[in-house]
Amino acid sequence: MADLEQRTPDILPERPVTFGMPDGRELHLYGPFQGTPSWPWLEGNTDGSFSHRRWHALRREWVVYSAHRQTRTYKPPANDCPFCPMAPEGELPLQEFSIAVFDNKFSALQKDAPTPQPIPGLDIPLASAVGNCEVIVYSSDHNASMASLPLERRERLVRVWGDRIRALMAIPDVQVVMPFENRGEEAGVTLHHPHGQIYAFSYQPPIIEKMAQSFREGYDLSKLTRLPQYVVADTATAAALVPPFTRFPYEMWIVPKRFCATPAELTAAEVTDVAELLAHVANTYDAFFGRICPYVMIVYAAPKGLEDVFPFHIQFQPLLRSPTKMKFVAGVEVGAGSFLVDILPETAAQNLRNVEVTS
Ligand SMILES: [Zn+2]
């Protein structure tokens, strides 16, 4: 254990080639690519509208308002996918690419969001929605997915998360960076090209604030990797496990055994293990439910100032409780914030462990 603690990252950091887009956004290309991007159709195309935050007087949390997002692309046909290489007026005018990251055209949080004007008669706090929203495209292949990407690409994805967290945390106002992926139409996906998103917040959102409090008080997440009844898949440096306190029936987390504040701190062996487990989790869900399983995957990394206590880990929240039944977040969950789960985490772990995965 002692020498594990002292190991330092033994891989070169992942760094992008960056291009400026005519509307002020940036494109970062990681790994090999073919072509020189240009976007003449975006010339003079700047969106002058801004988001802002309002304090929810009862829930005591920020709500972000970005009315301009109502016009965003909604389920274009496959031959009109803006993330496919060389798509007409698409975001990625390249012949081919490995992993592409760019500023979201309909960003809910904005690098230059101004302080909002007071609203006459309203006494709730208002604040600027400073931050950023990025899109991260995993492949130039429209039909790829986390379950089918080759290991080398998944390893790069883990390292790219680390580099984007580093780059966005360097913005002075940014407090938290959270990569995530919504998978499947039931999870609200409007574009099927394999991609995720990365949000950079200038404040601690409520769930991350609560997690931060637990980690500040000393909660040891890695101990879950040493409880065999919860582990679904094990590797030398990380485990995929069902937490003993699931909120969704078949929730799984990928937890490194050594503390790292961000994926940028993982060694090459640790990156490989996390990348192996990413596909294992996605394939386990698809095999278990017998269909493409919709889920929300969240990559948690330490907020600013909590780099000594808040561990990087990944949470998957599948939206199914059986092949034909959705786990709906409804009355009790929405109204009271209390989750009701009809399968014990120990049973869920056993069921998921029994799934034969071919990846
Ligand atoms: Zn596509």
Side-chain angles (χ1 to χ4, degrees), residues 200-211:
F201 298 92
S202 58
Y203 58 97
Q204 276 192 14
I207 289 175
I208 292 173
E209 191 172 40
K210 284 186 180 173
M211 291 167 69

Side-chain angles (χ1 to χ4, degrees), residues 60-82:
R60 308 173 73 81
E61 63 193 31
W62 289 108
V63 183
V64 177
Y65 294 88
S66 46
H68 57 288
R69 278 174 62 84
Q70 282 300 341
T71 56
R72 71 184 184 275
T73 312
Y74 184 73
K75 267 193 245 172
N79 59 5
D80 195 21
C81 168

